[in-house]
Amino acid sequence: MMTATRIQARSLNKQFTLHHQNGVQLDVLTDLNFDAQSGECLIFSGRSGSGKSTLLKMIYGNYLATSGSLQVKHGDEWVEMVAAAPRSVVELRRHSIGYVSQFLKTIPRVSTLNLVMEPALERGWSAEQARARAEELLSRLNIPERLWHLAPSTFSGGEQQRVNIARGFMVAWPVLLLDEPTASLDETNRAVVVELMQEAKAAGAAMVGIFHDAEVRQKIGDKQFNVSANEVSNHVQ
Ligand SMILES: Nc1ncnc2c1ncn2[C@@H]1O[C@H](COP(=O)(O)OP(=O)(O)OP(=O)(O)O)[C@@H](O)[C@H]1O
Ligand SMILES: [Mg+2]
């Protein structure tokens, strides 16, 4: 498979201004430079509070960079996230960027199955196709069938996280962002998530992830970027 650059960050900076606390400024990310290619997994490491989640939110268009350039491939075009119109962010999220956040956003009365199927239905899959894929993922992630028709708001932390993962892997994303998806999972389910990530890589996703588990990092990571040290390395630890 041909590799292709899917994310390109150049001289990227992020500063937060705390308007309600005397305008105190926090320099979170300074002069970041990296590329993410299709079929590879780039791992962001660094101490707590160093800006790892902030970076994923910038790639997803939740946070705006203070300066620099952050481009994401959308079909044959590059979208500059530092200047993207809300409409193109919506389009990007529908077709080009998947995001497995740390916590599931549950919606009252929406069943687990419907929540997991949604990304596929938004892309025009038939209900049968979407349902078959959702059931396969929920089974692989060991969510008992009796829970599939319930809204996940009352599920345990680990169950909610697995529903979130099923939703994230429902369709093939050109860019897939993962914020500690294995944090509260047991070994069996961690291994399933590693398999899903390997399948997504083989299908050509450019993955960008944060993983606290060293074994997961070693199994899935191709390059590691230390946010605190501001350097990229081919050695994953
Ligand atoms: N919306 C915001 N407004 C102000 N400050 C913020 C905001 N979001 C994050 N920060 C600050 O930016 C810094 C980086 O936060 P971030 O969540 O990116 O860290 P992290 O590297 O993901 O940490 P952890 O490993 O604990 O998850 C923190 O000091 C945090 O307080
Ligand atoms: Mg974080």
Side-chain angles (χ1 to χ4, degrees), residues 69-163:
S69 166
L70 175 60
Q71 300 199 80
V72 178
K73 203 77 187 264
H74 179 53
D76 294 332
E77 292 177 5
W78 286 104
V79 175
E80 175 54 81
M81 300 307 290
V82 175
R87 236 188 79 86
S88 32
V89 174
V90 170
E91 278 297 298
L92 264 175
R93 289 178 183 177
R94 181 161 299 165
H95 298 285
S96 299
I97 314 181
Y99 177 37
V100 180
S101 56
Q102 196 173 355
F103 301 104
L104 175 72
K105 286 189 196 73
T106 62
I107 307 162
R109 290 182 292 280
V110 174
S111 76
T112 295
L113 261 177
N114 285 328
L115 209 62
V116 174
M117 285 163 65
E118 190 181 45
L121 295 177
E122 279 192 354
R123 284 206 189 171
W125 291 29
S126 73
E128 297 80 64
Q129 268 182 318
R131 198 186 163 96
R133 170 78 178 155
E135 289 182 354
E136 178 206 324
L137 286 166
L138 290 168
S139 303
R140 284 178 72 182
L141 288 157
N142 302 296
I143 301 288
E145 205 172 328
R146 65 187 154 78
L147 298 182
W148 295 359
H149 293 280
L150 305 178
S153 42
T154 56
F155 290 7
S156 76
E159 283 169 345
Q160 289 196 6
Q161 198 171 33
R162 281 177 283 142
V163 172

Side-chain angles (χ1 to χ4, degrees), residues 16 18 26 28 47-54 63 180 212:
F16 287 109
L18 306 177
L26 290 178
V28 178
R47 59 180 166 71
S48 176
S50 57
K52 305 180 296 294
S53 297
T54 297
Y63 287 171
E180 296 179 37
H212 281 318

Side-chain angles (χ1 to χ4, degrees), residues 218 221-225 232-237:
Q218 264 155 14
D222 297 297
K223 282 187 216 152
Q224 186 159 314
F225 190 100
V232 69
S233 134
N234 290 318
H235 179 64
V236 179
Q237 49 195 352

